[in-house]
Structure formats: C-alpha cells, structure tokens
Amino acid sequence: MRESPRCGAKTRMGNSCQSPAVSGRKRCRMHGGAKGSGAPLGNQNALKHCEYTREAKEFRKHIRRLLRSGNEMLDNF
C-alpha cells in the first residue's frame, strides 16, 4: 500500500492529496478516480449552437485562408 502511486490533486490547504490513486488512474476515488466519474463521452453541449461541428470549423478555416490571401494581395499591391 505504501508503494502505490499517490493522487496528487491539490487540496484546500494547498498540499497534494496523499491518498492512493485508483488502479489505472492518476487520481484517488475522492478526486475523480471513481468509476463513472468524469465527463460523458462525446460532448453534446458543444453542438448546441453548431459552432464546433466539422462543417463550421472547416468553414471558418476557409474564411481565414481567404482573408489571409486577400491581405497578402493588398500588401503586394
């Protein structure tokens, strides 16, 4: 038990937690190592306003490229 890896999460006192980490994880059961803890797979909230869909990201990337090429053309003019 003494040789097991420690949690290391910051406590309210500012020290690191000294509880043993859950096997296969970096945190103890109190700091997010417990089964079922953490965010659900697939962030559905990111799709709420359609800002982070693949199409929206590609569109913004295309617009940035167009603006960059337009600025370069104006600089050379």
Side-chain angles (χ1 to χ4, degrees):
M1 188 70 167
R2 291 182 189 221
E3 302 298 322
S4 63
R6 298 293 149 179
C7 172
K10 190 179 254 189
T11 63
R12 292 180 189 170
M13 297 287 290
N15 305 330
S16 60
C17 175
Q18 294 300 310
S19 297
V22 175
S23 62
R25 300 210 182 200
K26 293 183 179 183
R27 299 290 182 222
C28 69
R29 63 186 180 85
M30 299 297 287
H31 290 115
K35 185 176 182 179
S37 64
L41 296 176
N43 187 356
Q44 295 300 313
N45 293 332
L47 302 178
K48 184 174 182 179
H49 299 291
C50 300
E51 291 182 25
Y52 300 103
T53 60
R54 181 179 297 134
E55 293 83 16
K57 287 180 180 180
E58 289 175 1
F59 178 72
R60 288 193 300 267
K61 193 175 194 179
H62 178 69
I63 295 297
R64 282 193 302 270
R65 270 189 258 136
L66 285 174
L67 288 171
R68 192 175 304 123
S69 65
N71 285 335
E72 289 173 1
M73 188 169 38
L74 287 174
D75 288 342
N76 293 334
F77 184 65

